[in-house]
Amino acid sequence: MGRRLVPLTLDNLPDLPKRCRACVFWELDPVNGEAALRGGRPELEKEAWISAVLLEWGSCGRVVYVDDIPVGFVLYAPPAYVPRSTAFPTSPVSADAVQLTTAWLMPEYQGQGLGRVMVQTVAKDVLRRGFKAIEAFGDARWKEPACVLPADHLLAVGFKTVRPHPRYPRLRLELRSALSWKEDVELALDRLLGAVQKEPALRPL
């Protein structure tokens, strides 16, 4: 089973589920989000948001492929690019952190460790860009797939609660706390993703 985690671009945006391509929960503040839905243009707003973040900051997500079939994705960005985050009772996200906004995996691929691999891949990218942590708002009463990730899942992959709340705690994955954690990420990525992530070796002529 070949696994690939590919940076999100406008080219592979169509590989996200249709409902997610039309969701602007995180990308717009509540007022503009409602206006986009009423105006029937959420897909365009989503595309514009991804395009702007790509130009100003770089790739803000990963698409997960198994045997070339898109089976999931993860989105993340600095909090300045995530207007909805200020509407949460446990905001703001720390200035030294990138916000993990949402992630999704097809049900038949859940429980295979791909969720942890997705977080580790984001962690490696965030470390490379000089950030100290990943933060996310969790849903402590999560019951079904939604824009806000289940708090229990975030805790299971290494996040710690930094601001408790009965419904929307803010959680943080500290990347500088131990060098060994970074090394574990590197080892896990090498082991799980293998040569998929590496540049092909040039053969001598």
Side-chain angles (χ1 to χ4, degrees):
M1 185 173 69
R3 299 174 175 179
R4 292 186 299 132
L5 279 83
V6 177
L8 176 66
T9 66
L10 294 178
D11 291 334
N12 59 15
L13 179 60
D15 287 343
L16 270 59
K18 185 174 181 180
R19 72 175 188 278
C20 298
R21 296 199 306 271
C23 176
V24 287
F25 178 85
W26 290 108
E27 293 80 3
L28 298 174
D29 61 68
V31 172
N32 287 320
E34 286 295 324
L37 292 175
R38 285 197 306 270
R41 51 184 169 81
E43 296 95 339
L44 293 176
E45 293 286 357
K46 183 86 162 197
E47 186 173 317
W49 182 84
I50 290 172
S51 178
V53 179
L54 278 168
L55 287 170
E56 297 172 15
W57 188 67
S59 182
C60 54
R62 291 290 187 274
V63 183
V64 185
Y65 296 90
V66 175
D67 294 336
D68 295 324
I69 299 170
V71 303
F73 73 93
V74 58
L75 287 176
Y76 56 97
Y81 292 99
V82 189
R84 173 73 67 154
S85 66
T86 59
F88 278 74
T90 48
S91 65
V93 171
S94 304
D96 64 351
V98 164
Q99 183 181 345
L100 175 66
T101 58
T102 195
W104 176 83
L105 269 175
M106 289 175 63
E108 55 265 43
Y109 291 93
Q110 294 172 10
Q112 301 178 19
L114 276 173
R116 187 175 294 273
V117 175
M118 289 161 71
V119 171
Q120 289 171 334
T121 305
V122 175
K124 185 176 182 180
D125 186 35
V126 169
L127 279 168
R128 187 186 298 120
R129 299 196 202 195
F131 287 86
K132 296 179 179 178
I134 303 168
E135 291 191 1
F137 297 102
D139 186 348
R141 302 175 190 168
W142 188 91
K143 289 184 173 60
E144 59 187 23
C147 300
V148 184
L149 294 170
D152 286 348
H153 174 75
L154 293 167
L155 292 168
V157 295
F159 283 76
K160 306 292 183 187
T161 302
V162 290
R163 191 162 177 200
H165 187 269
R167 180 67 189 269
Y168 296 119
R170 179 160 51 90
L171 303 103
R172 181 177 172 97
L173 183 63
E174 194 74 52
L175 304 182
R176 61 186 171 132
S177 57
L179 183 60
S180 62
W181 194 92
K182 180 181 177 182
E183 291 169 349
D184 287 345
V185 171
E186 298 284 353
L187 287 171
L189 283 166
D190 286 343
R191 187 165 60 249
L192 290 165
L193 305 180
V196 172
Q197 291 285 327
K198 297 173 182 172
E199 293 295 324
L202 293 175
R203 299 183 64 178
L205 297 173

